[in-house]
Amino acid sequence: MLHPPFERLGLTSGQLGMLFSAGLAGMAVGGLLLAPLSDKTGRRPLILFSVALMSICMIASGYATTMWHLVVLRLGVGAGIGAALASISTLAAEYAPPKHHDFAVAMLQGGYPIAATITGFIVAPLINSWSWESLLLGAGLFSASAILPLFFFLPESTAFLEQRQPRDALGRINRIEKRLGLPVSTTLPEKPASQQNNTGVSGLFSDGMLPSTLLLWLTTICGFMTLYFIISWIPKLAIEAGLDISHSIYAGALYNIGAFVGCATIGIVALRLTLHRTIMLYLFCAAIALSLFGVMSMSLAGVLIMAFLIGVFLQGGFNGSYPLAAGLYPVKVRSTGMGWAMGVGRIGAVIGPYLGGQLLQHHVRLSIIFQIYAVPLLICIACVFGLSVYKRMNKGVPS
């Protein structure tokens, strides 16, 4: 007999909320604790471990018998995702040509919202005929199918190998260069004398990095705050704006499609405007779109178009934080810097939806709610401007 979602476990709405929060907490753990290991072990091992962790925990979720089993497993899935997002962004940053560095990292992050959209369209018609156990098992097996291709085809970062110089570093670099059709190196660069110094989390605050690290963290906290408020509540917000329930689902889908467009285009626009200016432009447009969404009376088409535009500028602008972080830190702490920025930013991911729920529960007008959530985006813009000033003053980051 097939069961409706989580019926067999008898979960209440509050318990489901705890379950969803466990995934977000796991992503913070992955960013704060697992991603920094990439700066010691290499990008490739950490990515393989992260994909294996999320796959195993997802498959095991299909066999969970209690809510607490699911909570622990969701923590594992989230930890794998959080570590993988930071590590693959770092790897992309270190392989992309300097001119296309920001585009490569931003485009990579665009896979996240488009995958969420595709998964929703796949699961929606199956959820009433398949058990939730089967769907989780299928998702886990699909993730696991990536492990072998990654094992055989994913290269290590040559920048990491040159910086850390583990055993057989030159031979590994040569094999990668031959695969990519690049000139083969004959010697390794001189290993930095300070290689063992200012690494790990302490490296995020040394060599004058304290102001930029704090600005980056404030950017991610405020960005996550508004981003997760919209992601969590957009169907409800669409209903509050006058749509019926069925149309509110389309608003959520269009937001995710817009999110992919935003992630795909921010790197292209940044090639002309610079990354800092592009992020500020996108987030400013997102703040305007949020304000208009809250105060203007719109038709169905207007609400759907506005949901799409919010996705483009909010998700696109925030995802610019990944290449921003990648370009901020040197190789020796790059994955640590990205992991901690996104991990600390999860503070905003917790505050945003919770505060939004409280405001809606107390019947605060929609126009006021959207004005409130436009403020964190303005703070993000100020922080990104501060980072651009810091970059000009310091003329880049040493490798």
Side-chain angles (χ1 to χ4, degrees):
M1 179 179 179
L2 301 179
H3 304 278
F6 305 113
E7 182 182 84
R8 177 170 62 81
L9 299 182
L11 301 184
T12 65
S13 296
Q15 290 172 323
L16 282 175
M18 184 184 299
L19 194 61
F20 299 147
S21 296
L24 292 175
M27 292 178 76
V29 171
L32 295 172
L33 301 182
L34 295 182
L37 297 177
S38 173
D39 288 326
K40 297 181 179 180
T41 65
R43 318 313 186 197
R44 182 177 181 273
L46 203 282
I47 292 172
L48 287 169
F49 173 78
S50 300
V51 175
L53 175 63
M54 71 176 80
S55 301
I56 291 170
C57 290
M58 184 68 77
I59 291 171
S61 297
Y63 297 96
T65 56
T66 69
M67 183 200 74
W68 289 111
H69 288 164
L70 276 176
V71 167
V72 172
L73 292 169
R74 290 302 298 173
L75 278 168
V77 172
I81 294 173
L85 286 175
S87 299
I88 60 177
S89 297
T90 302
L91 189 63
E94 291 169 357
Y95 265 105
K99 182 180 178 181
H100 298 94
H101 168 280
D102 298 332
F103 170 76
V105 178
M107 189 66 182
L108 185 71
Q109 296 300 325
Y112 195 77
I114 201 64
T117 304
I118 293 172
T119 301
F121 282 124
I122 292 174
V123 169
L126 298 177
I127 194 66
N128 290 321
S129 56
W130 288 39
S131 65
W132 60 266
E133 297 98 328
S134 299
L135 293 173
L136 290 177
L137 184 61
L141 291 172
F142 184 78
S143 297
S145 69
I147 295 175
L148 279 179
L150 288 173
F151 181 82
F152 286 109
F153 299 111
L154 183 70
E156 182 54 89
S157 163
T158 54
F160 170 83
L161 293 173
E162 291 173 353
Q163 185 92 43
R164 298 288 296 191
Q165 297 186 15
R167 188 177 63 177
D168 192 32
L170 182 59
R172 294 170 67 182
I173 291 172
N174 289 162
R175 288 190 288 271
I176 293 170
E177 289 169 336
K178 289 176 182 178
R179 285 173 56 186
L180 299 178
L182 299 173
V184 176
S185 302
T186 56
T187 60
L188 288 171
E190 184 177 351
K191 190 173 183 178
S194 61
Q195 178 60 51
Q196 301 303 321
N197 300 325
N198 299 331
T199 58
V201 179
S202 63
L204 307 182
F205 306 102
S206 61
D207 300 327
M209 295 295 294
L210 175 62
S212 57
T213 292
L214 295 180
L215 284 172
L216 180 64
W217 286 5
L218 185 56
T219 299
T220 58
I221 290 171
C222 292
F224 268 127
M225 182 177 174
T226 299
L227 180 66
Y228 272 85
F229 163 70
I230 294 296
I231 290 175
S232 302
W233 290 102
I234 193 166
K236 172 69 173 175
L237 296 170
I239 292 172
E240 293 284 337
L243 271 63
D244 59 36
I245 295 177
S246 61
H247 289 151
S248 70
I249 296 174
Y250 290 115
L254 279 171
Y255 169 85
N256 279 312
I257 294 172
F260 172 73
V261 173
C263 295
T265 58
I266 189 170
I268 298 173
V269 177
L271 291 174
R272 294 182 174 274
L273 294 183
T274 75
L275 180 63
H276 295 84
R277 291 174 182 171
T278 305
I279 293 174
M280 290 189 284
L281 173 63
Y282 272 51
L283 292 180
F284 182 70
C285 291
I288 292 176
L290 284 175
S291 300
L292 293 177
F293 192 83
V295 300
M296 291 182 62
S297 178
M298 299 182 187
S299 63
L300 169 61
V303 172
L304 295 179
I305 291 172
M306 195 58 66
F308 173 80
L309 292 176
I310 291 173
V312 171
F313 294 115
L314 176 57
Q315 187 90 45
F318 175 76
N319 271 28
S321 301
Y322 286 89
L324 190 66
L328 186 65
Y329 296 109
V331 172
K332 62 183 179 181
V333 292
R334 183 166 290 152
S335 193
T336 300
M338 295 191 69
W340 271 73
M342 299 308 152
V344 171
R346 300 288 166 183
I347 296 171
V350 174
I351 295 174
Y354 176 78
L355 177 60
Q358 293 298 310
L359 293 172
L360 287 168
Q361 182 176 329
H362 288 84
H363 307 291
V364 177
R365 285 185 301 177
L366 203 59
S367 58
I368 296 177
I369 292 176
F370 276 102
Q371 300 299 324
I372 290 172
Y373 279 93
V375 172
L377 298 185
L378 299 179
I379 296 174
C380 287
I381 292 170
C383 291
V384 173
F385 177 76
L387 285 169
S388 69
V389 172
Y390 170 86
K391 184 176 181 180
R392 287 197 299 272
M393 290 175 60
N394 291 271
K395 297 181 180 178
V397 176
S399 60

